[in-house]
Amino acid sequence: MTDKKTYPSNKEEWSIAIHKGLSITQIEGEQLFQSENFPVEDLVKLIQKEYSKGFGPEFVPALVRNIKGLISWVYGDGSEPFWPGRDS
């Protein structure tokens, strides 16, 4: 039996993870997104805390690089961000 860590793989799972980590409901997230007041830095810190260990080395940088796209996907009408890429 392994303790393989999993990460949110769709926008509903991301909404749940953000709610657990930041206490932001889906409706609150949508309102924060629409008013351009979403706590981006808090989400970055949550991602760095929760997903830095047990995942590939490019996982957190890809999330941070695409953080605005992630927020738009989960709380707006954006499409899933394009995750591949290089960090400089």
Side-chain angles (χ1 to χ4, degrees):
M1 181 180 219
T2 62
D3 286 331
K4 185 175 181 181
K5 294 180 91 176
T6 60
Y7 57 87
S9 60
N10 59 50
K11 64 190 212 173
E12 291 80 16
E13 291 175 2
W14 275 108
S15 178
I16 292 167
I18 293 167
H19 180 251
K20 287 180 180 178
L22 299 179
S23 298
I24 295 173
T25 67
Q26 180 66 31
I27 292 171
E28 291 169 334
E30 291 168 5
Q31 292 169 342
L32 289 166
F33 171 72
Q34 289 172 359
S35 67
E36 298 181 6
N37 288 314
F38 196 90
V40 176
E41 291 303 316
D42 291 342
L43 180 55
V44 168
K45 289 176 187 174
L46 174 68
I47 287 169
Q48 291 169 332
K49 178 185 172 202
E50 294 296 323
Y51 303 107
S52 289
K53 294 182 181 177
F55 300 96
E58 293 301 315
F59 185 64
V60 169
L63 290 170
V64 172
R65 181 177 61 247
N66 293 293
I67 197 74
K68 290 182 180 178
L70 175 64
I71 295 166
S72 176
W73 179 45
V74 175
Y75 299 109
D77 60 358
S79 58
E80 182 175 4
F82 182 69
W83 301 113
R86 287 183 35 156
D87 299 303
S88 41

Coordinates of all heavy atoms in Angstrom, one line a residue:
M1 N 0.8 -1.2 0.0 CA 0.0 0.0 0.0 C 0.9 1.2 0.0 O 1.8 1.4 0.8 CB -0.9 0.0 1.2 CG -1.8 1.1 1.3 SD -2.8 1.0 2.8 CE -4.4 1.5 2.2
T2 N 0.6 2.2 -0.9 CA 1.4 3.4 -1.0 C 0.6 4.6 -0.5 O -0.6 4.6 -0.6 CB 1.9 3.6 -2.4 OG1 0.8 3.8 -3.2 CG2 2.7 2.5 -2.9
D3 N 1.3 5.6 -0.1 CA 0.7 6.9 0.3 C 0.9 7.9 -0.8 O 1.4 9.0 -0.6 CB 1.3 7.4 1.6 CG 0.8 6.6 2.8 OD1 -0.3 6.1 2.7 OD2 1.6 6.6 3.8
K4 N 0.5 7.5 -2.0 CA 0.7 8.4 -3.2 C -0.2 9.6 -3.0 O -1.4 9.5 -2.8 CB 0.3 7.7 -4.5 CG 0.6 8.5 -5.7 CD 0.4 7.8 -7.0 CE 0.7 8.7 -8.1 NZ 0.5 8.0 -9.4
K5 N 0.4 10.8 -3.1 CA -0.4 12.0 -3.0 C -1.1 12.3 -4.3 O -0.6 12.0 -5.3 CB 0.5 13.2 -2.6 CG 1.2 13.0 -1.2 CD 2.1 14.2 -1.0 CE 1.3 15.3 -0.2 NZ 2.1 16.4 0.2
T6 N -2.3 12.9 -4.1 CA -3.1 13.3 -5.3 C -3.3 14.8 -5.2 O -3.2 15.4 -4.2 CB -4.4 12.6 -5.4 OG1 -5.2 12.9 -4.2 CG2 -4.2 11.1 -5.5
Y7 N -3.6 15.3 -6.4 CA -3.8 16.8 -6.5 C -5.1 17.0 -7.2 O -5.6 16.1 -7.9 CB -2.7 17.5 -7.2 CG -2.4 16.9 -8.6 CD1 -3.1 17.4 -9.7 CD2 -1.5 15.9 -8.8 CE1 -2.9 16.9 -11.0 CE2 -1.2 15.4 -10.1 CZ -1.9 15.9 -11.1 OH -1.7 15.4 -12.4
P8 N -5.7 18.1 -7.0 CA -7.0 18.4 -7.8 C -6.8 18.3 -9.3 O -5.8 18.8 -9.8 CB -7.3 19.8 -7.4 CG -6.6 20.1 -6.1 CD -5.3 19.2 -6.2
S9 N -7.7 17.6 -9.9 CA -7.5 17.4 -11.4 C -8.6 18.1 -12.2 O -8.5 18.0 -13.5 CB -7.4 15.9 -11.7 OG -8.6 15.3 -11.3
N10 N -9.6 18.7 -11.6 CA -10.6 19.4 -12.4 C -11.0 20.7 -11.6 O -10.6 20.8 -10.4 CB -11.8 18.5 -12.7 CG -12.5 18.0 -11.5 OD1 -12.8 18.7 -10.6 ND2 -12.7 16.7 -11.5
K11 N -11.8 21.5 -12.2 CA -12.1 22.8 -11.5 C -12.9 22.6 -10.2 O -12.7 23.3 -9.2 CB -12.7 23.8 -12.4 CG -14.0 23.5 -13.0 CD -14.3 24.5 -14.1 CE -15.7 24.8 -14.2 NZ -15.9 26.0 -15.2
E12 N -13.7 21.6 -10.2 CA -14.5 21.3 -9.0 C -13.6 20.9 -7.8 O -13.8 21.3 -6.7 CB -15.6 20.2 -9.2 CG -16.7 20.7 -10.1 CD -16.3 20.7 -11.6 OE1 -15.3 20.0 -12.0 OE2 -17.1 21.3 -12.4
E13 N -12.6 20.0 -8.1 CA -11.7 19.6 -7.1 C -10.8 20.8 -6.6 O -10.5 20.9 -5.4 CB -10.8 18.4 -7.6 CG -11.6 17.2 -7.8 CD -10.8 16.0 -8.4 OE1 -9.6 16.2 -8.7 OE2 -11.4 15.0 -8.6
W14 N -10.4 21.7 -7.5 CA -9.7 22.8 -7.1 C -10.5 23.7 -6.2 O -10.0 24.3 -5.3 CB -9.2 23.6 -8.4 CG -7.9 23.1 -8.9 CD1 -7.6 22.4 -10.0 CD2 -6.6 23.1 -8.2 NE1 -6.3 22.0 -10.1 CE2 -5.7 22.5 -9.0 CE3 -6.2 23.7 -7.0 CZ2 -4.3 22.4 -8.7 CZ3 -4.8 23.6 -6.7 CH2 -3.9 22.9 -7.5
S15 N -11.8 23.9 -6.6 CA -12.7 24.7 -5.7 C -12.7 24.2 -4.3 O -12.7 24.9 -3.3 CB -14.1 24.8 -6.4 OG -14.9 25.5 -5.5
I16 N -12.8 22.9 -4.2 CA -12.9 22.2 -2.9 C -11.6 22.4 -2.1 O -11.5 22.7 -0.9 CB -13.2 20.7 -3.0 CG1 -14.7 20.6 -3.5 CG2 -13.0 20.0 -1.7 CD1 -15.0 19.2 -4.0
A17 N -10.4 22.2 -2.8 CA -9.1 22.4 -2.2 C -8.9 23.8 -1.7 O -8.4 24.1 -0.6 CB -8.0 22.0 -3.2
I18 N -9.3 24.8 -2.5 CA -9.2 26.2 -2.2 C -10.1 26.5 -1.0 O -9.7 27.2 -0.1 CB -9.5 27.1 -3.4 CG1 -8.3 26.9 -4.4 CG2 -9.6 28.6 -3.0 CD1 -8.6 27.5 -5.8
H19 N -11.3 25.9 -1.0 CA -12.2 26.2 0.1 C -11.6 25.6 1.4 O -11.7 26.3 2.4 CB -13.6 25.5 -0.2 CG -14.6 25.7 0.9 ND1 -14.9 24.6 1.8 CD2 -15.2 26.8 1.4 CE1 -15.8 25.1 2.6 NE2 -16.0 26.4 2.4
K20 N -11.1 24.4 1.3 CA -10.4 23.8 2.5 C -9.3 24.6 3.0 O -9.0 24.8 4.2 CB -10.0 22.4 2.2 CG -11.1 21.4 2.2 CD -10.6 20.0 1.9 CE -11.8 19.0 1.8 NZ -11.3 17.7 1.5
G21 N -8.5 25.1 2.1 CA -7.2 25.9 2.4 C -7.4 27.3 2.8 O -6.7 27.9 3.6
L22 N -8.4 28.0 2.1 CA -8.5 29.4 2.3 C -9.9 29.8 2.8 O -10.2 31.0 3.0 CB -8.3 30.2 1.0 CG -6.9 30.0 0.4 CD1 -6.8 30.8 -0.9 CD2 -5.8 30.5 1.4
S23 N -10.8 28.8 3.0 CA -12.2 29.1 3.4 C -12.9 30.0 2.5 O -13.7 30.8 2.9 CB -12.2 29.7 4.9 OG -11.6 28.7 5.8
I24 N -12.7 29.8 1.2 CA -13.4 30.6 0.2 C -14.4 29.7 -0.5 O -13.9 28.7 -1.1 CB -12.4 31.2 -0.8 CG1 -11.5 32.2 -0.2 CG2 -13.2 31.9 -2.0 CD1 -10.4 32.8 -1.0
T25 N -15.7 30.0 -0.4 CA -16.7 29.1 -1.1 C -16.6 29.4 -2.6 O -16.0 30.4 -3.0 CB -18.1 29.4 -0.6 OG1 -18.4 30.8 -0.9 CG2 -18.2 29.2 1.0
Q26 N -17.3 28.6 -3.3 CA -17.4 28.8 -4.8 C -18.0 30.2 -5.1 O -17.5 30.9 -5.9 CB -18.2 27.7 -5.4 CG -18.3 27.8 -6.9 CD -17.0 27.6 -7.7 OE1 -16.1 26.9 -7.3 NE2 -16.9 28.3 -8.8
I27 N -19.1 30.5 -4.4 CA -19.7 31.8 -4.7 C -18.8 32.9 -4.3 O -18.7 33.9 -5.0 CB -21.1 31.8 -3.9 CG1 -22.1 30.8 -4.5 CG2 -21.7 33.3 -3.9 CD1 -23.4 30.6 -3.8
E28 N -18.2 32.8 -3.1 CA -17.2 33.9 -2.7 C -16.1 34.0 -3.7 O -15.7 35.1 -4.1 CB -16.7 33.6 -1.3 CG -17.7 33.7 -0.2 CD -17.2 33.2 1.1 OE1 -16.3 32.3 1.1 OE2 -17.8 33.6 2.1
G29 N -15.6 32.9 -4.2 CA -14.5 32.9 -5.2 C -14.9 33.6 -6.4 O -14.2 34.4 -7.0
E30 N -16.1 33.3 -6.9 CA -16.7 33.9 -8.1 C -16.8 35.4 -7.9 O -16.4 36.2 -8.8 CB -18.0 33.3 -8.5 CG -17.9 31.9 -9.0 CD -19.3 31.2 -9.1 OE1 -20.3 31.9 -8.9 OE2 -19.3 30.0 -9.4
Q31 N -17.3 35.9 -6.7 CA -17.4 37.3 -6.4 C -16.0 38.0 -6.4 O -15.8 39.1 -6.9 CB -18.2 37.5 -5.2 CG -19.6 37.1 -5.3 CD -20.4 37.0 -3.9 OE1 -19.7 37.0 -2.9 NE2 -21.7 37.1 -4.0
L32 N -15.1 37.3 -5.7 CA -13.7 37.9 -5.6 C -13.1 38.0 -7.0 O -12.4 38.9 -7.3 CB -12.9 37.0 -4.7 CG -13.3 37.1 -3.2 CD1 -12.6 36.0 -2.4 CD2 -12.8 38.5 -2.6
F33 N -13.3 36.9 -7.8 CA -12.7 36.9 -9.1 C -13.3 38.1 -10.0 O -12.6 38.8 -10.6 CB -13.0 35.6 -9.8 CG -12.6 35.6 -11.3 CD1 -11.3 35.6 -11.7 CD2 -13.6 35.6 -12.2 CE1 -11.0 35.6 -13.1 CE2 -13.3 35.6 -13.6 CZ -12.0 35.6 -14.0
Q34 N -14.6 38.2 -9.9 CA -15.3 39.2 -10.7 C -14.9 40.7 -10.3 O -14.8 41.6 -11.1 CB -16.8 39.1 -10.6 CG -17.3 37.8 -11.4 CD -18.8 37.6 -11.2 OE1 -19.5 38.2 -10.5 NE2 -19.3 36.5 -11.8
S35 N -14.7 40.8 -9.0 CA -14.3 42.2 -8.5 C -12.8 42.4 -8.5 O -12.3 43.4 -8.1 CB -14.8 42.4 -7.1 OG -14.2 41.5 -6.2
E36 N -12.1 41.4 -9.1 CA -10.6 41.5 -9.2 C -9.9 41.6 -7.8 O -8.9 42.3 -7.6 CB -10.2 42.6 -10.1 CG -10.7 42.3 -11.5 CD -10.2 43.4 -12.5 OE1 -9.4 44.3 -12.1 OE2 -10.7 43.4 -13.6
N37 N -10.5 41.0 -6.8 CA -10.0 41.0 -5.4 C -9.7 39.6 -4.9 O -9.5 39.5 -3.7 CB -11.1 41.7 -4.5 CG -11.2 43.1 -4.7 OD1 -10.2 43.9 -4.8 ND2 -12.4 43.6 -4.8
F38 N -9.5 38.7 -5.8 CA -9.1 37.3 -5.3 C -7.8 37.4 -4.7 O -6.8 38.0 -5.2 CB -9.1 36.3 -6.5 CG -9.2 34.9 -6.0 CD1 -10.4 34.3 -5.8 CD2 -8.0 34.2 -5.7 CE1 -10.4 32.9 -5.3 CE2 -8.0 32.9 -5.2 CZ -9.2 32.3 -5.0
P39 N -7.6 36.7 -3.5 CA -6.3 36.8 -2.8 C -5.3 35.9 -3.5 O -5.0 34.8 -3.0 CB -6.7 36.3 -1.4 CG -7.9 35.4 -1.6 CD -8.6 36.0 -2.7
V40 N -4.7 36.3 -4.5 CA -3.8 35.5 -5.3 C -2.6 35.1 -4.5 O -2.2 33.9 -4.6 CB -3.3 36.3 -6.6 CG1 -2.3 35.6 -7.4 CG2 -4.5 36.7 -7.5
E41 N -2.0 36.0 -3.8 CA -0.8 35.6 -3.0 C -1.1 34.6 -1.9 O -0.3 33.7 -1.7 CB -0.2 36.9 -2.3 CG 0.4 37.8 -3.3 CD 1.5 37.2 -4.2 OE1 2.3 36.4 -3.6 OE2 1.5 37.4 -5.4
D42 N -2.3 34.6 -1.4 CA -2.7 33.6 -0.4 C -2.8 32.2 -1.1 O -2.4 31.2 -0.5 CB -4.0 33.9 0.3 CG -3.9 35.1 1.2 OD1 -2.8 35.5 1.6 OD2 -5.0 35.7 1.5
L43 N -3.4 32.2 -2.3 CA -3.5 31.0 -3.1 C -2.1 30.4 -3.4 O -1.9 29.2 -3.4 CB -4.3 31.2 -4.3 CG -4.5 29.9 -5.2 CD1 -5.1 28.8 -4.4 CD2 -5.4 30.3 -6.4
V44 N -1.2 31.3 -3.8 CA 0.2 30.9 -4.1 C 0.8 30.2 -2.9 O 1.4 29.2 -3.0 CB 1.0 32.1 -4.6 CG1 2.5 31.7 -4.7 CG2 0.6 32.5 -6.0
K45 N 0.7 30.9 -1.8 CA 1.2 30.3 -0.5 C 0.6 28.9 -0.2 O 1.3 28.0 0.2 CB 1.0 31.3 0.6 CG 1.9 32.5 0.6 CD 1.6 33.5 1.7 CE 2.3 34.8 1.5 NZ 1.9 35.8 2.5
L46 N -0.7 28.8 -0.4 CA -1.4 27.5 -0.2 C -0.8 26.5 -1.1 O -0.5 25.4 -0.6 CB -2.9 27.7 -0.4 CG -3.7 26.4 -0.3 CD1 -3.7 25.8 1.1 CD2 -5.1 26.6 -0.8
I47 N -0.7 26.8 -2.3 CA -0.2 25.8 -3.3 C 1.3 25.4 -2.9 O 1.6 24.2 -3.0 CB -0.2 26.4 -4.7 CG1 -1.7 26.4 -5.2 CG2 0.7 25.7 -5.7 CD1 -1.9 27.2 -6.5
Q48 N 2.1 26.4 -2.6 CA 3.5 26.1 -2.2 C 3.5 25.2 -1.0 O 4.3 24.3 -0.9 CB 4.2 27.4 -2.0 CG 4.5 28.1 -3.3 CD 5.0 29.5 -3.1 OE1 4.8 30.2 -2.0 NE2 5.8 30.0 -4.0
K49 N 2.6 25.4 0.0 CA 2.6 24.6 1.2 C 2.1 23.2 0.9 O 2.6 22.2 1.4 CB 1.7 25.3 2.2 CG 1.5 24.6 3.5 CD 0.5 25.2 4.4 CE 0.2 24.4 5.6 NZ -1.1 24.7 6.3
E50 N 1.0 23.1 0.2 CA 0.3 21.8 0.0 C 0.9 20.9 -1.0 O 0.8 19.7 -1.0 CB -1.2 22.0 -0.3 CG -2.0 22.7 0.8 CD -2.1 21.8 2.1 OE1 -2.2 20.6 1.9 OE2 -2.0 22.4 3.2
Y51 N 1.6 21.5 -2.0 CA 2.0 20.7 -3.2 C 3.5 20.7 -3.5 O 3.9 20.3 -4.5 CB 1.2 21.1 -4.4 CG -0.3 21.0 -4.2 CD1 -1.1 22.2 -4.0 CD2 -1.0 19.8 -4.1 CE1 -2.5 22.1 -3.8 CE2 -2.3 19.7 -3.9 CZ -3.1 20.8 -3.7 OH -4.4 20.7 -3.4
S52 N 4.3 21.2 -2.5 CA 5.7 21.2 -2.8 C 6.4 19.9 -2.6 O 7.4 19.6 -3.2 CB 6.4 22.3 -1.8 OG 6.0 23.6 -2.3
K53 N 5.8 19.0 -1.8 CA 6.4 17.7 -1.5 C 5.5 16.6 -2.0 O 4.3 16.7 -1.9 CB 6.6 17.5 0.0 CG 7.7 18.5 0.5 CD 7.9 18.2 2.0 CE 8.9 19.2 2.5 NZ 9.2 19.1 3.9
G54 N 6.1 15.6 -2.7 CA 5.3 14.5 -3.1 C 4.9 14.6 -4.6 O 4.1 13.7 -5.1
F55 N 5.2 15.7 -5.2 CA 4.8 15.9 -6.6 C 6.1 16.2 -7.4 O 7.1 16.5 -6.9 CB 3.8 17.1 -6.7 CG 2.6 16.8 -5.9 CD1 2.4 17.3 -4.6 CD2 1.5 16.0 -6.5 CE1 1.3 17.0 -3.9 CE2 0.4 15.8 -5.7 CZ 0.2 16.3 -4.4
G56 N 5.9 16.2 -8.8 CA 7.0 16.5 -9.6 C 7.6 17.9 -9.4 O 6.8 18.8 -9.0
P57 N 8.9 18.1 -9.7 CA 9.5 19.4 -9.4 C 8.9 20.6 -10.2 O 9.0 21.8 -9.8 CB 10.9 19.2 -9.8 CG 10.9 18.1 -10.7 CD 9.8 17.2 -10.3
E58 N 8.2 20.3 -11.3 CA 7.6 21.4 -12.1 C 6.1 21.7 -11.8 O 5.6 22.6 -12.3 CB 7.7 21.0 -13.6 CG 9.2 21.0 -14.1 CD 9.9 22.3 -13.9 OE1 9.3 23.3 -14.2 OE2 11.0 22.3 -13.5
F59 N 5.6 20.9 -10.8 CA 4.2 21.0 -10.5 C 3.8 22.4 -9.9 O 3.0 23.1 -10.5 CB 3.7 19.9 -9.6 CG 2.2 19.9 -9.3 CD1 1.3 19.7 -10.3 CD2 1.7 20.2 -8.0 CE1 0.0 19.7 -10.1 CE2 0.4 20.1 -7.8 CZ -0.5 19.9 -8.8
V60 N 4.5 22.8 -8.9 CA 4.2 24.1 -8.2 C 4.6 25.2 -9.2 O 3.8 26.2 -9.3 CB 4.9 24.2 -6.9 CG1 4.9 25.6 -6.3 CG2 4.3 23.3 -5.9
P61 N 5.8 25.2 -9.8 CA 6.0 26.3 -10.8 C 5.0 26.5 -11.9 O 4.7 27.6 -12.2 CB 7.4 26.0 -11.3 CG 8.1 25.1 -10.3 CD 6.9 24.3 -9.7
A62 N 4.5 25.4 -12.4 CA 3.4 25.5 -13.4 C 2.2 26.1 -12.8 O 1.5 26.9 -13.5 CB 3.1 24.1 -14.0
L63 N 1.8 25.7 -11.6 CA 0.6 26.3 -11.0 C 0.8 27.8 -10.8 O -0.1 28.6 -11.1 CB 0.3 25.6 -9.7 CG -0.2 24.2 -9.8 CD1 -0.3 23.5 -8.4 CD2 -1.6 24.1 -10.5
V64 N 1.9 28.2 -10.2 CA 2.2 29.6 -9.9 C 2.3 30.4 -11.2 O 1.7 31.5 -11.3 CB 3.5 29.7 -9.1 CG1 3.9 31.2 -8.9 CG2 3.3 29.1 -7.7
R65 N 2.9 29.8 -12.2 CA 3.1 30.5 -13.5 C 1.7 30.8 -14.2 O 1.5 31.8 -14.8 CB 3.9 29.6 -14.5 CG 4.2 30.2 -15.8 CD 5.1 29.4 -16.7 NE 4.5 28.0 -17.0 CZ 5.0 26.9 -16.5 NH1 6.1 26.9 -15.8 NH2 4.4 25.7 -16.8
N66 N 0.8 29.9 -13.9 CA -0.6 30.0 -14.5 C -1.7 30.3 -13.5 O -2.8 30.0 -13.7 CB -0.9 28.7 -15.2 CG -0.1 28.4 -16.4 OD1 -0.2 29.1 -17.4 ND2 0.8 27.4 -16.3
I67 N -1.3 31.0 -12.4 CA -2.2 31.2 -11.3 C -3.5 32.0 -11.7 O -4.6 31.6 -11.3 CB -1.5 31.9 -10.1 CG1 -2.3 31.7 -8.8 CG2 -1.2 33.3 -10.3 CD1 -2.3 30.3 -8.2
K68 N -3.3 33.0 -12.5 CA -4.5 33.8 -12.9 C -5.4 32.9 -13.8 O -6.6 33.0 -13.7 CB -4.0 35.1 -13.6 CG -3.4 36.0 -12.6 CD -3.0 37.3 -13.3 CE -2.4 38.3 -12.2 NZ -2.0 39.5 -12.8
G69 N -4.8 32.1 -14.6 CA -5.6 31.2 -15.4 C -6.3 30.2 -14.6 O -7.5 29.8 -14.9
L70 N -5.6 29.7 -13.6 CA -6.3 28.7 -12.6 C -7.5 29.3 -12.0 O -8.6 28.8 -11.9 CB -5.3 28.2 -11.6 CG -5.8 27.3 -10.5 CD1 -6.3 26.0 -11.1 CD2 -4.7 27.1 -9.4
I71 N -7.3 30.6 -11.5 CA -8.4 31.3 -10.8 C -9.6 31.5 -11.8 O -10.7 31.3 -11.5 CB -7.9 32.6 -10.2 CG1 -6.9 32.3 -9.1 CG2 -9.1 33.4 -9.7 CD1 -6.1 33.5 -8.6
S72 N -9.2 31.9 -13.0 CA -10.3 32.2 -14.0 C -11.0 30.9 -14.4 O -12.2 30.9 -14.6 CB -9.6 32.8 -15.3 OG -10.6 33.0 -16.3
W73 N -10.3 29.8 -14.5 CA -10.9 28.5 -14.8 C -11.8 28.0 -13.7 O -12.9 27.6 -14.0 CB -9.8 27.5 -15.0 CG -10.2 26.1 -15.3 CD1 -11.1 25.7 -16.2 CD2 -9.6 24.9 -14.7 NE1 -11.1 24.3 -16.2 CE2 -10.2 23.8 -15.3 CE3 -8.6 24.7 -13.8 CZ2 -9.9 22.5 -15.0 CZ3 -8.3 23.4 -13.5 CH2 -9.0 22.3 -14.1
V74 N -11.4 28.2 -12.4 CA -12.2 27.7 -11.3 C -13.4 28.6 -11.0 O -14.5 28.2 -10.7 CB -11.3 27.5 -10.1 CG1 -12.2 27.1 -8.8 CG2 -10.3 26.5 -10.3
Y75 N -13.2 29.9 -11.1 CA -14.2 30.9 -10.7 C -14.8 31.8 -11.8 O -15.7 32.5 -11.5 CB -13.6 31.8 -9.6 CG -13.2 31.0 -8.4 CD1 -11.8 30.8 -8.1 CD2 -14.1 30.4 -7.5 CE1 -11.5 30.1 -7.0 CE2 -13.7 29.6 -6.4 CZ -12.4 29.5 -6.2 OH -12.0 28.7 -5.1
G76 N -14.3 31.7 -12.9 CA -14.8 32.5 -14.0 C -15.2 31.6 -15.2 O -15.6 30.4 -15.0
D77 N -15.1 32.1 -16.4 CA -15.5 31.3 -17.5 C -14.2 30.9 -18.4 O -14.4 30.6 -19.5 CB -16.5 32.1 -18.4 CG -16.0 33.4 -18.9 OD1 -14.8 33.8 -18.6 OD2 -16.7 34.1 -19.6
G78 N -13.1 31.0 -17.8 CA -11.9 30.6 -18.5 C -11.7 29.1 -18.7 O -12.4 28.3 -18.0
S79 N -10.9 28.8 -19.7 CA -10.7 27.4 -19.9 C -9.5 26.9 -19.1 O -8.8 27.7 -18.5 CB -10.4 27.1 -21.4 OG -9.3 27.9 -21.8
E80 N -9.3 25.6 -19.0 CA -8.2 25.1 -18.2 C -6.9 25.6 -18.8 O -6.7 25.7 -20.0 CB -8.2 23.5 -18.3 CG -7.1 22.9 -17.5 CD -7.1 21.4 -17.4 OE1 -7.9 20.8 -18.1 OE2 -6.3 20.9 -16.7
P81 N -6.1 26.1 -17.9 CA -4.8 26.7 -18.3 C -3.9 25.7 -19.0 O -4.0 24.4 -18.8 CB -4.1 27.1 -17.0 CG -5.2 27.3 -16.0 CD -6.2 26.2 -16.4
F82 N -3.0 26.2 -19.9 CA -2.1 25.3 -20.6 C -0.9 25.2 -19.6 O -0.2 26.1 -19.3 CB -1.7 26.0 -21.9 CG -0.7 25.2 -22.7 CD1 -1.1 24.0 -23.3 CD2 0.6 25.6 -22.8 CE1 -0.2 23.3 -24.0 CE2 1.5 24.9 -23.6 CZ 1.1 23.7 -24.2
W83 N -0.7 24.0 -19.1 CA 0.3 23.7 -18.0 C 1.7 23.6 -18.5 O 2.6 24.0 -17.8 CB -0.1 22.5 -17.2 CG -1.5 22.7 -16.6 CD1 -2.6 22.0 -16.9 CD2 -1.9 23.6 -15.6 NE1 -3.7 22.4 -16.1 CE2 -3.2 23.5 -15.3 CE3 -1.2 24.7 -14.9 CZ2 -3.9 24.2 -14.4 CZ3 -1.9 25.4 -14.0 CH2 -3.2 25.2 -13.7
P84 N 2.0 22.9 -19.7 CA 3.4 22.7 -20.0 C 4.1 24.1 -20.3 O 3.5 25.1 -20.6 CB 3.3 21.9 -21.3 CG 2.0 21.3 -21.3 CD 1.1 22.3 -20.6
G85 N 5.4 24.0 -20.1 CA 6.2 25.2 -20.3 C 7.5 25.2 -19.5 O 7.7 24.3 -18.7
R86 N 8.3 26.2 -19.7 CA 9.5 26.3 -19.0 C 9.5 27.5 -18.1 O 8.9 28.5 -18.4 CB 10.7 26.4 -19.9 CG 11.0 25.2 -20.7 CD 12.2 25.3 -21.6 NE 13.2 26.3 -20.9 CZ 14.5 26.3 -21.2 NH1 15.0 25.5 -22.1 NH2 15.3 27.2 -20.6
D87 N 10.1 27.3 -16.9 CA 10.2 28.4 -16.0 C 11.6 28.9 -16.1 O 12.6 28.2 -16.2 CB 9.9 27.9 -14.6 CG 8.5 27.4 -14.4 OD1 7.6 28.1 -14.7 OD2 8.4 26.2 -14.1
S88 N 11.8 30.3 -16.1 CA 13.1 30.8 -16.2 C 13.5 31.5 -14.9 O 12.8 31.6 -14.0 CB 13.2 31.8 -17.3 OG 12.1 32.6 -17.4

